[in-house]
C-alpha cells in the first residue's frame, strides 16, 4: 500500500496509456468514495508516458472504481458442478490442484493438462506459466485468448517479415501522409491512438484517412474515404489496390529487387483482381477502389492500422500478408510514418507474444517446432535435452475439443472468461460442463466461467500486484502495486509458482518477487529480436517506460524495426505472399440470409467483469442491441427498438433492433459484451462458429450466417416483463 502517487499502465487496451494513480485522500482532505462507500484511488493520465502523453479514455479514467466490487476473496472448492462452493484455505486448494495435476500427468500424460491464459496476464505471470507447462511438465498446452485476438497478426508478420513484432511506433501517427485503417474501429477500441492520428489529420490537409469496415463506425465517420465492404472481402480489395498500383507503375522497383522475394507470384495473383470485378465482390464502386489506390500511390508514407476485422477471419493470416504485400510493393516499411501496424487488443498481448504465450511458441520469440529454440530453452531452464515437446499444444478451440473427447482432464483458466468469449457457446458450455477438473483463477465472482469450475482461486488484479506489460509499440511499462490485494487474493505469478513448488519444481520456482521472475525472463530474450536484457524492474522504475529491443550491451533501441531494410528471414528479404480471396467460412445463403458481425463499444471492456460495475459506463451502454440497415428492416417489417431473434445454425440470441444506415445492407452487428450474467439471451457467441484460419488457427468471430425473426415485444420494458413472467 502506498500513500503517494505511482505510475503505471492502463490495464485495458493495447494502446497502453500511462496512468498516474493517487490515494483516495490527500493529507487532511476528504476520502474519495464510490457509490457503495469504497475508497477510490484517483486516476489521471501520466503526462510523461511516451505512448500516451497524458491522454486517457473513459475506461482508463474509471478503472479504479471497479476494484472493490464483487471480488473473489478466498479460494473455493467443490467436488462437482452441481454442488455449492465451500470456502477453503490456500493450502487445501493448492494441494488439491498440485495432486490432481500430478495424478493426471502420471496416469494420462502431461498432454492431458491445459492452461488457458490471457493477454491480460503480466509478463512475469506468462513466464512462470510457460516454464511450468512447456518446460517442467513437457506439454505445450498453454494457449491464451490471444488465439482469438492477435494470432493472425503474429502468423502474418512471421510469414511475410520472418518474425513477429509490429515494426512501427506511435510517432508514425504524427508523420504519415495516409492512414489506411482496415478492420479496426480505432476511435472506440484504441481511442488514444485515434486521438493522436485525428489531430495530425486535422492539422495537415494533405493527410488522407481511409477506413475499410462494413460499418460506418465513429472511426469511419471522419475518414476521407470509407470503403464499406461486405464482410470477408478484404483480400479482394487489397489485391485490387495491388492490381492498380502495378498497372500504374506506382511501385518501388529497387526495394522489390533488393529487399523482397516471390514478387512474381504476387504479381500473377493480383492480375485476377481488376477494379470492376473487385468492386462487385466488395459491394462498393470501382471509383472507390481506384481512389484508395490513388491515395496509396500519391502518399509518400502510408501507415496501415488493423485489428480484428482482419485477424478474426478464416483467412486472417492471408489478409495480414495481403496488406503487408502492399507495403512491400511500395517500399512503405522501415521508415518514419509508414508500415504495417497491427493494433494490439489487450494490455499485455504483446508481452504474451514475447514470452511465447501461444501453444506453438516459446519465450523470446521462439517456436516449439524449432529444435535449436527448444535446446536453448532446455539449457537456460536446466532441463534434460528433449524435455520440451516439438509438437504445438492445443489451441483454445482444441482445448474445448479435448474436453469433448475426454483427452483433456485438467483445465486451468487464468484471466479470461471463455464461457462468454469463445465461439459457439452452447458447445463450449457443454464441453466445460464435462470437464473432470477445472480451475478458474479470476479476480471477480461470479463470472460466467466460474459456473463451470471445481476450484476458484482469487487473483490479485491490476493495482494490487507489481509486474510488467508491453503495449502495441513495444513500450514496456512497470505496473506497480498501489494497494494490497482484497481478501486473500494473490498475484497470478505467485499462485502458479506455488503449485509448481508443490509438484516438485521448487528449485526452478524459488521466486520471492515478480522482480526476480522478470530478471530471469529477460535473460531468455538475449540475442533474440525482442532482446530486453537491459531491462529490470529497477531500471523501469528509475527510467520509466522503455521500448524494446533493449539489450544490456550494444546499441540503444531503434524506434522502428527493419530500418536497415534487412528482415529476419533466411535470405534477409521480406516475402510477398500470393493469396487469393476465399471469402467467408459460412457465407449467407437463402436459409440464413444475413452476415452477422460482432465487436466492441467504446465504454465496455469485453465480458464486463470490470466495466459492467462502473456506473458511468453502464449509463453509456445500458443494453445490447443489433444494428440493421433500414432497407433490411423494412423488408422484414422491423421497427426501431423492436426485439428480434437472431438464429444461426448453432444457437439463438435476442436483441432490440437499432435501425441505422451505418451498417452495410445484408449485414447485422451485435456487441460482444453481454454474457448471460448481464443480459438474458443476448450472447453474440451463441451464434458464431469456430471455423478458423488454417495458419493462425484464429476463429472467424467476425462473421457467421444468420436469420432474423421479429418478435412481438416492441420495447425493452415489455420484454423485461415477459422474461420475468417466464422465469
Ligand atoms: N472499448 C473497448 N476497446 C477495446 C476492447 C474492448 O473490449 N472495448 N478490447 C480490446 C481488444 S482485446 C481488441 S482485440 C481490440 C479490437 O479492436 P477492433 O478490432 O477495432 O474492434 P472490433 O469492434 O472487434 O472490430 C473492429 C471492426 O471490424 C469490422 N469488421 C467486421 N468484419 C470485417 C471484415 O470482414 N473486414 C473488415 N475490414 N472489417 C470488418 C467491424 O465492423 C468492426 O467495426 O480492441 C481493444 N480495445
Ligand atoms: N463474438 C466475439 N467474440 C470475441 C471477440 C469478438 O470480437 N467477437 N473478441 C475476442 C477477443 S479479441 C478477445 S481478446 C477475447 C476477450 O475475452 P475474455 O478474455 O474472455 O474477456 P475478459 O472480460 O477480458 O476476461 C478477462 C477475465 O480476467 C479477469 N481478470 C482481470 N484481471 C485479472 C488478473 O489480474 N488476474 C486474473 N487471474 N484474472 C483477472 C476478469 O475478471 C475477467 O473475468 O474475446 C474474444 N471473443
Ligand atoms: S486508450 Fe486503452 S490504454 Fe488508453 S486509457 Fe483507454 S483503454 Fe486505457
Ligand atoms: Mo482481443
Amino acid at each position: 500500500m502506498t500513500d503517494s502517487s505511482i505510475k503505471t499502465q492502463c490495464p485495458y487496451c493495447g494502446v497502453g496509456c500511462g496512468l498516474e494513480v493517487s490515494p483516495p485522500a490527500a493529507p487532511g482532505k476528504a476520502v474519495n468514495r464510490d457509490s457503495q462507500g469504497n475508497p477510490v484511488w484517483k486516476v489521471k493520465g501520466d503526462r510523461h508516458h511516451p505512448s500516451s502523453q497524458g491522454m486517457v479514455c473513459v475506461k482508463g479514467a474509471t478503472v479504479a472504481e471497479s476494484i472493490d466490487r464483487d471480488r473473489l476473496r478466498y479460494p473455493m472448492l467443490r467436488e462437482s458442478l452441481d454442488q455449492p462452493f465451500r470456502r477453503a484455505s490456500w493450502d487445501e486448494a493448492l494441494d488439491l490442484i498440485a495432486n490432481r495435476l500430478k495424478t493426471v500427468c502420471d496416469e494420462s500424460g502431461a498432454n492431458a493438462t491445459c492452461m488457458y491464459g490471457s493477454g491480460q496476464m503480466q509478463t512475469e505471470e506468462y513466464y512462470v506459466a510457460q516454464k511450468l507447462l512447456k518446460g517442467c511438465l513437457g506439454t505445450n498446452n498453454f494457449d491464451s485468448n490471444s488465439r482469438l485476438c492477435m494470432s493472425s497478426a503474429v502468423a502474418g508478420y512471421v510469414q511475410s517479415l520472418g518474425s513477429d513484432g509490429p515494426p512501427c511506433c506511435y510517432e508514425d501517427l504524427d508523420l504519415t501522409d495516409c492512414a489506411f485503417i482496415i478492420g479496426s474501429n480505432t476511435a472506440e477500441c484504441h481511442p488514444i491512438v485515434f486521438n493522436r492520428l485525428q489531430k495530425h489529420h486535422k492539422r495537415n490537409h494533405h493527410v488522407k484517412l481511409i477506413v475499410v469496415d462494413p460499418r460506418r463506425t465513429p472511426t469511419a465517420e471522419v475518414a476521407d474515404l470509407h470503403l464499406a465492404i461486405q464482410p470477408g472481402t478484404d483480400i479482394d480489395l487489397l489485391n485490387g489496390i495491388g492490381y492498380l498500383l502495378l498497372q500504374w507503375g506506382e511501385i518501388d522497383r529497387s526495394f522489390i529487387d533488393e529487399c523482397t522475394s516471390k514478387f512474381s507470384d504476387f504479381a500473377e495473383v493480383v492480375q485476377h483482381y481488376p477494379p470492376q470485378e473487385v468492386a462487385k465482390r466488395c459491394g462498393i464502386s470501382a471509383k472507390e477502389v481506384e481512389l484508395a489506390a490513388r491515395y496509396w500511390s500519391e502518399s509518400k508514407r502510408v501507415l496501415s492500422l488493423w485489428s480484428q476485422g482482419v485477424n478474426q477471419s478464416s483467412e486472417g493470416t492471408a489478409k495480414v500478408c495481403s496488406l503487408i504485400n502492399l507495403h512491400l510493393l511500395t517500399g512503405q516499411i522501415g521508415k518514419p510514418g509508414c508500415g504495417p501496424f497491427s493494433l494490439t487488443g489487450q494490455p499485455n498481448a504483446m508481452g504474451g507474444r514475447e514470452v511465447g504465450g501461444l501453444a506453438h511458441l516459446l519465450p523470446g520469440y521462439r517456436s516449439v517446432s524449432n529444435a535449436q529454440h527448444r535446446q536453448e530453452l532446455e539449457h537456460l531452464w536446466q532441463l534434460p535435452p528433449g524435455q520440451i515437446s516439438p509438437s504445438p499444444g492445443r489451441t483454445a478451440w482444441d482445448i474445448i475439443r479435448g474436453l469433448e473427447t475426454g483427452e483433456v482432464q485438467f483445465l486451468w483458466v487464468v484471466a479470461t472468461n471463455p464461457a462468454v468469449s469463445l465461439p459457439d457457446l452452447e458447445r463450449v458450455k457443454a464441453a466445460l460442463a464435462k470437464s473432470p477438473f477445472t480451475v478458474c483463477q479470476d479476480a471477480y465472482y461470479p463470472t460466467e466461467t466460474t459456473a463451470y469450475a471445481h476450484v476458484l482461486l482469487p487473483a490479485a488484479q491490476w493495482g494490487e500486484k507489481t509486474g510488467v506489460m508491453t503495449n502495441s509499440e513495444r513500450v514496456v511499462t512497470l505496473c506497480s502495486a498501489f494497494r494490497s490485494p482484497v481478501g486473500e487474493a494473490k498475484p497470478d505469478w505467485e499462485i502458479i509458482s506455488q503449485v509448481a513448488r508443490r509438484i516438485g519444481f521448487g528449485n526452478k520456482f524459488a521466486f520471492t518477487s515478480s522482480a526476480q521472475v522478470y530478471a530471469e525472463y529477460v535473460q531468455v530474450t538475449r540475442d533474440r529480436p525482442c532482446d530486453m536484457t537491459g531491462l529490470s524492474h529497477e531500471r523501469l522504475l528509475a527510467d520509466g517506460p522503455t521500448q524494446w529491443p533493449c539489450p544490456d550491451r550494444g546499441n540503444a533501441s531503434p524506434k522502428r524495426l527493419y530500418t536497415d531494410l534487412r528482415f529476419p528471414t533466411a535470405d534477409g528479404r521480406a516475402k510477398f505472399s500470393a493469396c487469393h480471396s476465399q471469402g467467408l467460412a459460412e457465407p449467407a445463403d437463402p436459409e440464413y440470409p444475413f452476415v452477422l458481425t460482432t465487436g466492441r463499444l467504446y465504454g465496455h471492456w469485453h465480458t464486463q467483469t470490470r466495466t459492467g460495475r462502473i456506473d458511468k459506463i453502464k449509463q453509456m451502454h445500458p443494453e445490447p442491441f443489433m444494428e440493421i440497415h433500414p432497407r433490411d428492416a423494412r423488408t422484414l417489417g422491423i421497427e426501431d427498438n423492436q426485439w428480434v431473434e437472431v438464429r444461426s445454425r448453432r444457437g439463438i440470441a435476442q436483441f432490440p433492433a437499432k435501425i441505422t444506415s451505418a451498417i452495410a445492407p445484408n449485414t447485422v452487428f451485435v456487441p460482444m459484451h453481454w454474457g448471460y450474467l448481464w443480459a438474458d439471451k443476448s450472447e453474440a457467441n451463441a451464434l458464431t462458429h469456430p471455423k478458423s484460419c488454417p495458419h493462425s488457427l484464429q476463429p472467424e468471430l467476425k462473421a457467421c450466417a444468420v436469420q432474423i425473426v421479429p418478435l412481438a415485444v416492441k420495447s425493452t420494458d415489455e420484454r423485461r416483463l415477459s422474461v420475468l413472467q417466464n422465469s
Side-chain angles (χ1 to χ4, degrees):
M1 184 90 75
T2 144
D3 47 15
S4 56
S5 73
I6 60 106
K7 290 188 172 182
T8 180
Q9 183 193 303
C10 172
Y12 290 122
C13 87
V15 177
C17 297
L19 302 182
E20 204 174 326
V21 185
S22 44
K29 292 271 171 66
V31 177
N32 185 27
R33 290 184 191 278
D34 69 10
S35 56
Q36 297 180 358
N38 299 310
V40 178
W41 272 252
K42 294 176 199 152
V43 175
K44 62 175 190 185
D46 170 9
R47 282 190 300 120
H48 301 287
H49 196 287
S51 300
S52 52
Q53 302 163 348
M55 292 185 283
V56 280
C57 77
V58 70
K59 294 181 292 300
T62 56
V63 58
E65 291 173 32
S66 60
I67 293 187
D68 283 308
R69 306 221 172 149
D70 305 320
R71 290 292 299 276
L72 178 59
R73 291 176 179 271
Y74 36 77
M76 296 205 276
L77 307 177
R78 61 180 168 186
E79 305 248 296
S80 65
L81 301 188
D82 51 11
Q83 292 176 349
F85 282 110
R86 69 175 171 82
R87 183 173 176 169
S89 68
W90 270 107
D91 274 337
E92 187 185 3
L94 294 171
D95 281 341
L96 177 71
I97 295 169
N99 288 337
R100 188 71 174 223
L101 196 51
K102 260 203 319 229
T103 312
V104 172
C105 287
D106 290 347
E107 289 175 1
S108 308
N111 285 333
T113 67
C114 296
M115 185 181 278
Y116 182 45
S118 151
Q120 292 163 73
M121 294 164 77
Q122 294 176 331
T123 300
E124 297 81 351
E125 299 166 350
Y126 261 117
Y127 178 73
V128 289
Q130 307 315 303
K131 192 176 180 185
L132 174 60
L133 274 93
K134 295 176 179 171
C136 298
L137 298 181
T139 174
N140 292 323
N141 286 347
F142 178 101
D143 211 41
S144 80
N145 60 3
S146 287
R147 183 68 63 187
L148 314 176
C149 183
M150 300 312 293
S151 58
S152 295
V154 175
Y157 277 133
V158 171
Q159 185 172 317
S160 298
L161 306 179
S163 170
D164 187 19
C168 310
C169 62
Y170 294 157
E171 194 185 66
D172 294 327
L173 300 164
D174 309 329
L175 298 173
T176 188
D177 301 311
C178 174
F180 183 76
I181 301 184
I182 177 164
S184 151
N185 181 4
T186 327
E188 293 194 79
C189 295
H190 296 93
I192 300 310
V193 156
F194 193 70
N195 281 3
R196 193 157 165 183
L197 182 63
Q198 213 186 348
K199 250 190 226 157
H200 173 63
H201 181 228
K202 273 193 190 143
R203 253 189 233 139
N204 298 282
H205 288 295
H206 79 283
V207 174
K208 294 289 184 276
L209 183 59
I210 308 176
V211 173
V212 184
D213 193 310
R215 295 168 64 212
R216 194 176 66 240
T217 57
T219 315
E221 291 280 356
V222 297
D224 298 293
L225 177 63
H226 171 211
L227 303 171
I229 60 167
Q230 289 291 313
T233 59
D234 299 78
I235 295 180
D236 294 293
L237 175 71
L238 295 166
N239 283 351
I241 296 174
Y243 174 102
L244 288 169
L245 293 173
L246 259 174
Q247 197 185 45
W248 299 338
E250 295 284 356
I251 62 176
D252 187 338
R253 198 72 240 189
S254 60
F255 178 82
I256 295 170
D257 290 344
E258 284 158 33
C259 310
T260 71
S261 62
K262 304 273 182 200
F263 169 67
S264 54
D265 297 358
F266 163 77
E268 201 290 311
V269 163
V270 297
Q271 288 320 312
H272 303 274
Y273 295 81
Q276 291 296 347
E277 200 46 45
V278 165
K280 213 161 63 201
R281 285 189 225 150
C282 295
I284 57 176
S285 70
K287 274 220 165 66
E288 289 175 306
V289 182
E290 279 167 25
L291 193 55
R294 186 65 62 202
Y295 286 165
W296 266 85
S297 71
E298 286 172 357
S299 306
K300 276 211 193 78
R301 296 164 291 194
V302 183
L303 180 68
S304 39
L305 302 167
W306 83 89
S307 199
Q308 301 315 327
V310 169
N311 293 342
Q312 283 170 349
S313 157
S314 54
E315 48 181 358
T317 307
K319 281 192 188 183
V320 171
C321 292
S322 300
L323 178 59
I324 297 178
N325 282 341
L326 297 184
H327 286 272
L328 303 182
L329 187 64
T330 52
Q332 300 274 7
I333 191 165
K335 297 179 294 195
C338 70
F341 195 176
S342 61
L343 293 173
T344 312
Q346 297 173 90
N348 196 36
M350 284 289 292
R353 282 146 78 171
E354 291 152 16
V355 75
L358 286 167
H360 60 293
L361 301 177
L362 290 170
Y365 275 2
R366 292 180 174 90
S367 165
V368 300
S369 57
N370 182 314
Q372 193 190 332
H373 289 175
R374 293 195 303 277
Q375 276 164 19
E376 285 165 3
L377 276 170
E378 284 158 0
H379 173 73
L380 285 158
W381 283 343
Q382 299 173 341
L383 294 167
Q387 169 71 16
I388 298 176
S389 162
S391 343
R394 287 180 182 274
T395 63
W397 190 254
D398 286 339
I399 295 176
I400 297 303
R401 291 218 308 240
L403 291 171
E404 289 175 339
T405 59
E407 287 160 287
V408 170
Q409 294 170 24
F410 177 102
L411 172 62
W412 191 345
V413 179
V414 182
T416 180
N417 195 0
V420 184
S421 53
L422 283 178
D424 198 354
L425 274 184
E426 279 315 301
R427 202 170 148 190
V428 167
K429 289 177 191 169
L432 289 171
K434 263 184 86 176
S435 172
F437 191 81
T438 300
V439 181
C440 181
Q441 184 167 315
D442 204 285
Y444 291 89
Y445 178 80
T447 72
E448 287 79 356
T449 305
T450 56
Y452 297 92
H454 300 88
V455 183
L456 299 181
L457 297 180
Q461 66 162 326
W462 174 87
E464 301 172 335
K465 60 183 177 187
T466 295
V468 155
M469 303 227 209
T470 307
N471 73 9
S472 278
E473 63 163 350
R474 293 174 279 107
V475 166
V476 181
T477 302
L478 180 70
C479 306
S480 299
F482 53 83
R483 46 172 283 168
S484 25
V486 302
E488 297 177 6
K490 288 185 195 296
D492 294 292
W493 68 265
E494 199 178 317
I495 302 173
I496 298 167
S497 301
Q498 287 215 19
V499 171
R501 290 203 285 270
R502 276 164 213 252
I503 49 178
F505 302 114
N507 59 342
K508 294 192 174 18
F509 290 85
F511 310 113
T512 57
S513 69
S514 62
Q516 285 177 3
V517 179
Y518 196 67
E520 182 178 306
Y521 162 62
V522 296
Q523 290 308 318
V524 313
T525 67
R526 183 174 296 288
D527 299 328
R528 301 294 306 154
C530 56
D531 193 327
M532 44 194 108
T533 43
L535 296 181
S536 63
H537 280 203
E538 213 177 1
R539 168 157 174 205
L540 288 166
L541 190 63
D543 296 358
T546 307
Q547 196 183 31
W548 66 252
C550 183
D552 58 358
R553 37 184 188 246
N555 292 335
S557 74
K559 276 191 173 155
R560 297 172 184 84
L561 303 179
Y562 317 133
T563 46
D564 58 357
L565 307 185
R566 299 289 298 163
F567 297 88
T569 49
D571 59 4
R573 290 162 176 263
K575 197 171 108 197
F576 277 99
S577 303
C579 309
H580 276 295
S581 168
Q582 310 289 336
L584 299 176
E586 188 183 78
D589 60 22
E591 201 185 345
Y592 293 92
F594 291 90
V595 174
L596 167 89
T597 189
T598 64
R600 295 163 166 78
L601 306 177
Y602 172 61
H604 272 311
W605 179 257
H606 297 157
T607 73
Q608 299 200 39
T609 56
R610 282 174 293 195
T611 51
R613 297 184 162 91
I614 295 172
D615 301 334
K616 184 169 177 186
I617 291 177
K618 273 197 318 211
Q619 282 157 16
M620 280 171 107
H621 309 294
E623 61 176 11
F625 56 83
M626 182 198 76
E627 284 181 1
I628 183 167
H629 192 271
R631 194 198 71 187
D632 295 328
R634 243 189 335 269
T635 314
L636 293 170
I638 296 169
E639 290 168 31
D640 205 28
N641 285 323
Q642 179 176 350
W643 280 75
V644 295
E645 183 159 289
V646 186
R647 300 177 182 160
S648 78
R649 290 185 173 81
R650 294 150 296 277
I652 59 158
Q654 300 179 345
F655 307 91
K658 185 167 161 185
I659 301 176
T660 166
S661 60
I663 182 91
N666 310 318
T667 307
V668 293
F669 167 83
V670 304
M672 64 162 294
H673 304 296
W674 277 267
Y676 70 79
L677 290 174
W678 299 93
D680 187 54
K681 284 209 207 89
S682 296
E683 295 161 290
N685 284 326
L687 304 162
T688 52
H689 64 70
K691 287 182 198 132
S692 300
C693 166
H695 304 288
S696 66
L697 306 176
Q698 177 161 355
E700 188 155 82
L701 287 160
K702 280 286 174 276
C704 68
V706 296
Q707 24 175 272
I708 291 158
V709 182
L711 296 176
V713 269
K714 299 274 178 199
S715 73
T716 298
D717 286 343
E718 220 183 284
R719 179 167 184 269
R720 245 179 236 133
L721 209 65
S722 79
V723 170
L724 277 176
Q725 281 163 353
N726 293 334
S727 65

